[in-house]
Amino acid sequence: MLLLGIETSCDDTATAVVDEGVRVLSNVSTNQDEFHAKYGGIVPEIASRRHAALLSAAVDDALTRAGVTLDQLDGIAVTAGPGLIGSLVVGVAAAKALAFATGLPLYAVNHLHGHLFAAFLERAQPPEYPFLALLVSGGHSQLVEVASPTALRVIGKTRDDAAGEAFDKTARLLGLPFPGGPALEALARDGNPKMFAFPRHRPDPGTLDMSFSGIKTSVRYFLETDAGKRARREDVAASFQAAVVDVLIDRVARAVDRAEYRALVLSGGVAANGALQSAFVALGERRGIPTFIPERRFCTDNAAMIAAAAERRAGVCRVDPITLVADPNLRFN
Amino acid sequence: MKILALDAALGGFSAAVDDGGAYPTAVRTGRQDALERGLACIEMLLDTAGLRLRELDRLAVGIGPGSFTGVRIAIAYAKSLAYGAGIPLVGVSSYDALEPEAAPLPVLTVVRGRRGVICARLRDGSAPTTACGPVAATLERLLPGEPGLLHIAGNTEDVLSEIAERGWTVRVLPPRADVPAVAIAQLARTRVPSPSPHALAPDYGESPAVTVPKMRT
């Protein structure tokens, strides 16, 4: 199918045209960081105003870049949740009305399912089922077992902060600008990851759960000590990052010990982190399982992944455009 | 001229189809269901009128001020409908939708905003002035001079006593139409459409509140 994707769950106004859930004909995203940076975080009211101002032009832009017209499309895919309610409603209202005006089928996609199927974009050889996905972003950290496009099971998740959230909070402790994750990674490049041993969370027996607030808190207390005040920020950043990566990779390794997977997928905004990518690929090589990491532009929030998820889950996510609503707390299954 | 008008800024969702007949057909829903029921209302109106979206000559939408979320939903609907069906799009201000036709001057048109906040426009023969904020501060800005006779329209119950206390002699005017979308459809007849649906700009009245959700650290 030739699908238009629309994604406005947080602060990026994103649209895309994707063929068969693989070939990306266009992928448009207007990043809002400059509008939020001075406030040190995402301001919901600003984000939703930007979506309302830009979305229809972004739809037109995606179609123009793809060289297709509305009547050549086979459907419209939109993020229905989870996310910021004020941001979601703009995308959902626009997608509903566009489907109503054109008569095209409408597909309501869970944002997190989008991240899972981002691994298929622009791949000649897609991951084989069953695969294990580590989904890490500013809002989520979870391990998902994907037995088929419609059999998704969360087998482990964070008990507190998401990994990306821990990055952002620690970046703030280190006085880094918003968005903190990429800034912290850049700082860590010049640091020694073994300089400080921040605590690694161990899961309860039999579970694959994770925790990241302890790492962040221990960085905070450390920075208040004399040693912390003297420490190079680069070393603190690198040591913090190493602790987070260790926890994530440890949980993937434990999951791989428990069941057979034919592929390992790393996705979500934090998947753009170089240290995490290296450790993830190394684990796959040690276990002899192929790894899949989407291109950076498909790791961060984007609309191509929403179209990719709709393509594979069309049978279960087609909705009536008249009645669809946004759900900020949309459940995974 | 066949016009479909919609509004979600002025307390709930309303839509109207004006097909050139004596009076438009209109529908209005409760406060917070523009996303859930708006399109169903539009579909029902079009069915009743025996019209298809593409047969419309013009689409009109209330651009605010009023409910922030309502403005966004209506704008998102309107842009997509206009773009998807290739219909010219006209934006109409909440003030115009509420102020009656040929209103006597001076006239103050009031729109209810967030809790305790109003947006208002004063027309007294010179260039119109607008202000948004808490009731007292907004009235202070728009009505600084000596009190006299003042006509008021819109959500007048929010300001009536406050204005009277300032010594003005107040006359309350009826709205242009009972349903906002009907007024918007009427006004859209003579307006010039937006050069492109994408260019239509909403009027929130106020700058965004810049509260960043608290991070626990």
Side-chain angles (χ1 to χ4, degrees):
Chain A
M1 296 195 290
L2 189 63
L3 295 181
L4 168 71
I6 294 175
E7 147 69 35
T8 64
S9 66
C10 191
D11 64 328
D12 293 314
T13 310
T15 54
V17 176
V18 180
D19 192 24
E20 303 295 329
V22 174
R23 209 160 65 88
V24 180
L25 304 188
S26 63
N27 186 47
V28 174
S29 179
T30 62
N31 187 281
Q32 301 184 359
D33 283 352
E34 60 175 305
F35 295 98
H36 302 283
K38 63 179 165 180
Y39 306 110
I42 292 162
V43 183
E45 179 64 22
I46 292 180
S48 45
R49 287 188 184 192
R50 297 288 302 166
H51 291 314
L54 296 174
L55 181 55
S56 75
V59 167
D60 192 42
D61 195 30
L63 294 172
T64 305
R65 283 170 193 263
V68 301
T69 53
L70 274 173
D71 53 15
Q72 290 174 295
L73 292 174
D74 297 306
I76 299 166
V78 65
T79 305
L84 297 172
I85 181 64
S87 291
L88 288 167
V89 296
V90 176
V92 168
K96 281 171 63 138
L98 195 57
F100 178 76
T102 55
L104 287 168
L106 182 63
Y107 301 97
V109 175
N110 183 307
H111 177 82
L112 298 173
H113 298 171
H115 280 303
L116 293 179
F117 293 100
F120 290 70
L121 294 168
E122 298 290 5
R123 294 272 184 187
Q125 293 284 323
E128 287 181 39
Y129 302 98
F131 65 81
L132 176 72
L134 174 61
L135 210 161
V136 271
S137 71
H140 306 273
S141 297
Q142 51 196 39
L143 277 167
V144 185
E145 183 178 275
V146 183
S148 79
T150 51
L152 316 175
R153 193 162 68 93
V154 177
I155 59 172
K157 61 183 179 191
T158 182
R159 302 165 66 100
D160 39 58
D161 291 354
E165 195 179 358
F167 265 87
D168 287 339
K169 289 176 177 176
T170 304
R172 198 181 276 193
L173 292 174
L174 291 169
L176 298 170
F178 171 87
L184 191 147
E185 184 187 2
L187 190 67
R189 262 181 224 123
D190 298 320
N192 177 359
K194 295 191 171 138
M195 183 65 87
F196 307 109
F198 295 118
R200 272 73 165 160
H201 171 257
R202 301 246 155 242
D204 289 344
T207 79
L208 293 168
D209 287 350
M210 333 168 197
S211 162
F212 299 101
S213 72
I215 305 176
K216 169 214 67 195
T217 305
S218 104
V219 172
R220 189 172 117 213
Y221 288 143
F222 174 68
L223 288 172
E224 287 167 4
T225 64
D226 288 341
K229 284 173 187 150
R230 284 195 307 272
R232 286 176 71 234
R233 291 193 317 156
E234 289 82 353
D235 294 335
V236 177
S239 300
F240 161 81
Q241 180 173 272
V244 173
V245 169
D246 276 359
V247 171
L248 290 168
I249 296 298
D250 173 78
R251 279 336 102 88
V252 177
R254 287 172 194 259
V256 168
D257 287 341
R258 297 197 332 186
E260 294 255 332
Y261 298 108
R262 304 184 69 174
L264 300 177
V265 166
L266 175 62
S267 193
V270 181
N273 180 284
L276 178 59
Q277 290 193 354
S278 306
F280 192 80
V281 170
L283 174 73
E285 282 169 359
R286 283 201 301 278
R287 303 298 177 100
I289 309 172
T291 50
F292 293 81
I293 304 172
E295 291 172 43
R296 177 176 280 265
R297 62 193 174 122
F298 303 135
C299 281
T300 50
D301 288 353
N302 67 89
M305 69 181 194
I306 301 304
E311 174 81 34
R312 289 190 171 68
R313 294 174 50 83
V316 291
C317 70
R318 183 163 175 179
V319 290
D320 180 352
I322 297 288
T323 54
L324 177 66
V325 291
D327 182 352
N329 304 311
L330 186 63
R331 293 174 65 92
F332 190 82
N333 282 318
Chain B
M1 192 187 294
K2 301 181 187 67
I3 300 175
L4 168 68
L6 49 135
D7 179 85
L10 297 169
F13 179 85
S14 68
V17 168
D18 182 350
D19 60 2
Y23 198 78
T25 49
V27 56
R28 178 172 207 170
T29 77
R31 283 197 74 81
Q32 297 209 326
D33 53 3
L35 188 63
E36 198 175 343
R37 297 192 50 209
L39 276 185
C41 293
I42 291 169
E43 183 180 51
M44 190 186 78
L45 277 178
L46 290 172
D47 284 351
T48 307
L51 281 171
R52 287 162 23 153
L53 200 57
R54 282 170 201 278
E55 291 169 343
L56 296 167
D57 300 299
R58 197 163 273 194
L59 195 71
V61 62
I63 59 165
S67 154
F68 287 175
T69 302
V71 166
R72 278 191 280 275
I73 292 172
I75 292 274
Y77 277 161
K79 285 179 166 184
S80 275
L81 292 173
Y83 176 68
I87 316 164
L89 179 61
V90 178
V92 174
S93 156
S94 292
Y95 301 123
D96 292 345
L98 291 175
E99 188 185 291
E101 199 172 350
L105 304 183
V107 56
L108 183 80
T109 306
V110 181
V111 180
R112 183 176 299 147
R114 294 179 292 119
R115 188 183 296 272
V117 166
I118 56 162
C119 290
R121 178 180 75 181
L122 180 70
R123 289 204 310 120
D124 59 5
S126 53
T129 48
T130 60
C132 288
V135 174
T138 304
L139 294 177
E140 195 63 45
R141 279 176 61 191
L142 292 177
L143 305 172
E146 281 297 302
L149 174 66
L150 182 69
H151 304 90
I152 61 174
N155 295 123
T156 54
E157 61 278 21
D158 292 7
V159 296
L160 202 53
S161 59
E162 188 101 24
I163 294 177
E165 276 168 27
R166 287 160 191 260
W168 293 81
T169 306
V170 178
R171 277 204 195 127
V172 177
L173 303 176
R176 178 177 289 266
D178 288 337
V179 179
V182 170
I184 289 167
Q186 286 169 0
L187 289 160
R189 292 184 161 274
T190 52
R191 298 286 175 93
V192 179
S194 169
S196 141
H198 313 309
L200 186 79
D203 175 9
Y204 294 101
E206 288 181 283
S207 302
V210 289
T211 331
V212 179
K214 255 218 167 76
M215 272 200 198
R216 286 168 289 114
T217 54

